[in-house]
Amino acid sequence: MFPGLETERLILREITSDDVQDIFACFSNEDVTRFYGQETLEHIDQAKAIVDFFAKSYIERRGIRWGMERKGAPGLIGTIGFNVTRVIEYGFDELGLTRIGAVVFIENEASNHLLTKLGFQREGILRDYMYQSGKAHDTHMYSILKNKE
């Protein structure tokens, strides 16, 4: 059973086939995909493939991605992995993880700042690691450990 989570303002839930239109609306926006590491969607079938990929990753225990919904306002506003406090707690406390990593475009100042604020430590640069719009980009590699001692 997919783990639903809540924060003060958000509901984090499983992404289903009912969310294909919301996923398309989100990932067809160049401002959203600019630092996402994938091309901007052009067709609804691409959104369906993303939903299927998220479901398969969870079933095969390779990854987990939640849909983000504002409390009291149905419809996804985006997706999230291990990069907010509640999700990090879930990873350490419920999944028994000892390390959570994050890869972020160097130019993505907001995400770089957020990860540092959450206690992630920058480990280094992965050169030409992610592709966006047909161009290779350097990324920062971050991690946070369960036992930071």
Coordinates of all heavy atoms in Angstrom, one line a residue, residues 37 103-107 124-132 134-141:
G37 N 15.7 17.8 -15.4 CA 16.4 16.7 -16.0 C 15.6 15.9 -17.0 O 16.0 14.8 -17.3
V103 N 20.5 15.0 -6.3 CA 21.3 15.5 -7.4 C 20.6 16.7 -7.9 O 19.4 16.7 -8.3 CB 21.5 14.5 -8.5 CG1 22.2 15.0 -9.7 CG2 22.2 13.2 -8.0
V104 N 21.3 17.9 -8.0 CA 20.6 19.1 -8.3 C 21.5 19.9 -9.4 O 22.7 20.0 -9.2 CB 20.5 20.0 -7.1 CG1 19.8 21.3 -7.4 CG2 19.7 19.3 -6.0
F105 N 20.8 20.5 -10.4 CA 21.6 21.3 -11.3 C 22.3 22.4 -10.5 O 21.7 23.0 -9.6 CB 20.6 22.0 -12.3 CG 20.1 21.1 -13.4 CD1 19.0 20.3 -13.2 CD2 20.8 21.1 -14.6 CE1 18.5 19.5 -14.3 CE2 20.3 20.3 -15.6 CZ 19.2 19.5 -15.5
I106 N 23.5 22.7 -10.9 CA 24.3 23.8 -10.2 C 23.5 25.1 -10.3 O 23.5 25.9 -9.3 CB 25.7 23.9 -10.8 CG1 26.5 22.6 -10.4 CG2 26.4 25.1 -10.3 CD1 27.9 22.5 -11.0
E107 N 22.9 25.4 -11.4 CA 22.2 26.7 -11.6 C 20.9 26.8 -10.8 O 20.4 27.9 -10.7 CB 21.8 26.9 -13.1 CG 23.0 26.8 -14.0 CD 23.4 25.4 -14.5 OE1 22.7 24.4 -14.0 OE2 24.3 25.3 -15.3
G124 N 30.0 16.9 -3.8 CA 30.9 17.2 -5.0 C 30.1 17.5 -6.2 O 28.8 17.7 -6.1
I125 N 30.7 17.6 -7.3 CA 30.1 17.9 -8.6 C 30.2 16.7 -9.5 O 31.2 16.1 -9.6 CB 30.8 19.1 -9.2 CG1 30.6 20.4 -8.4 CG2 30.3 19.3 -10.7 CD1 31.4 21.6 -8.9
L126 N 29.0 16.4 -10.1 CA 29.0 15.4 -11.1 C 29.0 16.1 -12.5 O 28.0 16.7 -12.8 CB 27.7 14.5 -10.9 CG 27.5 13.8 -9.6 CD1 26.2 13.2 -9.4 CD2 28.6 12.8 -9.4
R127 N 30.1 16.0 -13.2 CA 30.2 16.7 -14.4 C 29.4 16.1 -15.6 O 29.4 14.9 -15.7 CB 31.7 16.8 -14.8 CG 32.5 17.5 -13.7 CD 34.0 17.6 -14.0 NE 34.5 16.4 -14.6 CZ 35.6 16.4 -15.4 NH1 36.3 17.4 -15.6 NH2 36.0 15.2 -15.9
D128 N 28.7 17.0 -16.3 CA 27.9 16.5 -17.4 C 27.0 15.4 -17.1 O 26.8 14.4 -17.8 CB 28.7 16.2 -18.6 CG 29.4 17.4 -19.3 OD1 29.0 18.5 -19.0 OD2 30.2 17.2 -20.2
Y129 N 26.4 15.5 -15.9 CA 25.6 14.3 -15.4 C 24.2 14.3 -15.9 O 23.6 13.2 -16.0 CB 25.6 14.4 -13.8 CG 25.0 13.2 -13.2 CD1 25.7 12.0 -13.1 CD2 23.8 13.3 -12.5 CE1 25.2 10.9 -12.5 CE2 23.3 12.2 -11.9 CZ 24.0 11.0 -11.9 OH 23.4 9.9 -11.3
M130 N 23.5 15.4 -16.1 CA 22.1 15.4 -16.5 C 21.9 16.2 -17.8 O 22.6 17.2 -18.0 CB 21.2 16.0 -15.4 CG 21.2 15.1 -14.1 SD 20.2 15.9 -12.8 CE 18.5 15.5 -13.5
Y131 N 21.0 15.7 -18.6 CA 20.7 16.3 -19.9 C 19.4 17.1 -19.8 O 18.4 16.6 -19.2 CB 20.6 15.3 -21.0 CG 22.0 14.9 -21.5 CD1 22.7 14.0 -20.9 CD2 22.5 15.6 -22.6 CE1 24.0 13.7 -21.3 CE2 23.8 15.3 -23.1 CZ 24.5 14.3 -22.5 OH 25.8 14.0 -22.9
Q132 N 19.4 18.3 -20.3 CA 18.2 19.1 -20.4 C 18.3 19.9 -21.7 O 19.3 20.5 -22.1 CB 18.2 20.1 -19.3 CG 16.9 20.9 -19.2 CD 15.7 20.1 -18.8 OE1 15.8 19.3 -17.8 NE2 14.6 20.2 -19.4
G134 N 18.8 18.8 -24.7 CA 19.9 18.3 -25.5 C 21.3 18.7 -25.1 O 22.3 18.5 -25.8
K135 N 21.4 19.3 -23.9 CA 22.7 19.8 -23.4 C 23.1 19.1 -22.1 O 22.2 19.0 -21.2 CB 22.7 21.3 -23.3 CG 24.0 21.9 -22.8 CD 23.9 23.4 -22.7 CE 25.2 24.0 -22.2 NZ 25.2 24.5 -20.9
A136 N 24.3 18.7 -21.9 CA 24.7 18.1 -20.6 C 25.0 19.2 -19.6 O 25.5 20.3 -20.0 CB 26.0 17.3 -20.9
H137 N 24.6 19.0 -18.4 CA 24.8 19.9 -17.3 C 25.5 19.3 -16.1 O 25.3 18.1 -15.8 CB 23.4 20.4 -16.8 CG 22.7 21.2 -17.8 ND1 22.8 22.6 -17.9 CD2 21.9 20.9 -18.8 CE1 22.0 23.0 -18.9 NE2 21.4 22.0 -19.4
D138 N 26.4 20.1 -15.5 CA 27.0 19.7 -14.2 C 25.9 19.8 -13.1 O 25.0 20.6 -13.1 CB 28.1 20.6 -13.8 CG 29.3 20.5 -14.8 OD1 29.3 19.6 -15.6 OD2 30.2 21.4 -14.7
T139 N 26.1 18.9 -12.1 CA 25.1 18.9 -11.0 C 25.9 18.8 -9.7 O 27.0 18.3 -9.7 CB 24.2 17.7 -11.0 OG1 24.9 16.5 -11.0 CG2 23.3 17.7 -12.3
H140 N 25.3 19.3 -8.6 CA 25.8 19.1 -7.3 C 25.3 17.7 -6.8 O 24.1 17.4 -7.0 CB 25.4 20.2 -6.3 CG 26.1 21.5 -6.5 ND1 27.4 21.6 -6.4 CD2 25.6 22.7 -6.8 CE1 27.8 22.9 -6.6 NE2 26.7 23.6 -6.9
M141 N 26.0 17.0 -6.0 CA 25.6 15.8 -5.3 C 25.5 16.1 -3.9 O 26.5 16.6 -3.3 CB 26.6 14.6 -5.6 CG 26.3 13.3 -4.9 SD 24.8 12.6 -5.6 CE 24.2 11.7 -4.2

